[in-house]
Amino acid sequence: MRRLAGIYNLLVNLFWSLLCFVPVCVFCYQWLPSEFLLLFLTLSFIPAFFSRRAMAKLQISKTAVTYKKRGISLIQQISQNGVWVNFLVRRKYSDYSVVRREKRAIESLLNQTYVNEKFHLVGLVFFSLLTGFALLKGLGWWAFFFMIANLFY
């Protein structure tokens, strides 16, 4: 059951990563000097070292309503452990649940959530730096792509 969910989640992650990062690699190869790439990567990884307290301060809101108004429900349909993945797993294993009602399982999911938040914050910083660079170079279509890809990723 967990293995099947893992495979589906891997495929979802692979799809979004290829969709967003293949063009990033093309852009970096064609337009971004290696010194800037190294600088952008270094700056982007700073949030990976943020504490839980720092991450909590970056929250837009403490209530789910704010996130729902911003379209998080759509993202939950097509993301890892989202509605689509859970539907596919439950077709074969009807009792499947992402979270087991055990303290250890809940703590594990919470820890994974912090890792995911940091990962996406790293991506936000990197994509923002690429967007700024593309705008400065007059590459508006690339900047537009990075903004859209950043929203989806």
Side-chain angles (χ1 to χ4, degrees), residues 31-72:
W31 297 101
L32 192 67
S34 57
E35 301 83 21
F36 279 91
L37 178 60
L38 186 58
L39 176 65
F40 288 1
L41 287 172
T42 302
L43 293 173
S44 298
F45 274 94
I46 291 172
F49 301 101
F50 286 179
S51 67
R52 284 188 178 193
R53 183 178 293 164
M55 293 300 292
K57 288 181 181 180
L58 293 175
Q59 282 185 326
I60 296 169
S61 174
K62 295 199 183 286
T63 65
V65 174
T66 304
Y67 293 101
K68 286 181 181 179
K69 286 181 181 177
R70 288 186 165 82
I72 195 71

Side-chain angles (χ1 to χ4, degrees), residues 11-140:
L11 292 173
V12 168
N13 190 13
L14 185 63
F15 169 77
W16 287 114
S17 295
L18 287 173
L19 188 67
C20 293
F21 283 106
V22 167
V24 166
C25 291
V26 170
F27 176 84
C28 290
Y29 180 76
Q30 287 183 338
W31 297 101
L32 192 67
S34 57
E35 301 83 21
F36 279 91
L37 178 60
L38 186 58
L39 176 65
F40 288 1
L41 287 172
T42 302
L43 293 173
S44 298
F45 274 94
I46 291 172
F49 301 101
F50 286 179
S51 67
R52 284 188 178 193
R53 183 178 293 164
M55 293 300 292
K57 288 181 181 180
L58 293 175
Q59 282 185 326
I60 296 169
S61 174
K62 295 199 183 286
T63 65
V65 174
T66 304
Y67 293 101
K68 286 181 181 179
K69 286 181 181 177
R70 288 186 165 82
I72 195 71
S73 298
L74 173 64
I75 307 259
Q76 287 175 324
Q77 300 289 321
I78 53 177
S79 64
Q80 285 183 319
N81 291 315
V83 173
W84 184 70
V85 169
N86 288 330
F87 169 77
L88 291 174
V89 175
R90 286 186 185 129
R91 281 187 358 191
K92 188 167 184 171
Y93 301 103
S94 59
D95 59 338
Y96 172 74
S97 176
V98 175
V99 182
R100 295 180 314 276
R101 297 190 185 269
E102 303 165 3
K103 185 177 180 181
R104 206 166 137 218
I106 293 169
E107 287 173 358
S108 176
L109 183 63
L110 186 60
N111 289 334
Q112 186 60 46
T113 300
Y114 278 108
V115 170
N116 291 346
E117 285 178 353
K118 288 179 180 183
F119 174 79
H120 286 284
L121 189 54
V122 165
L124 173 68
V125 172
F126 186 70
F127 276 65
S128 297
L129 291 167
L130 286 180
T131 301
F133 182 84
L135 286 172
L136 288 173
K137 289 290 186 179
L139 303 168

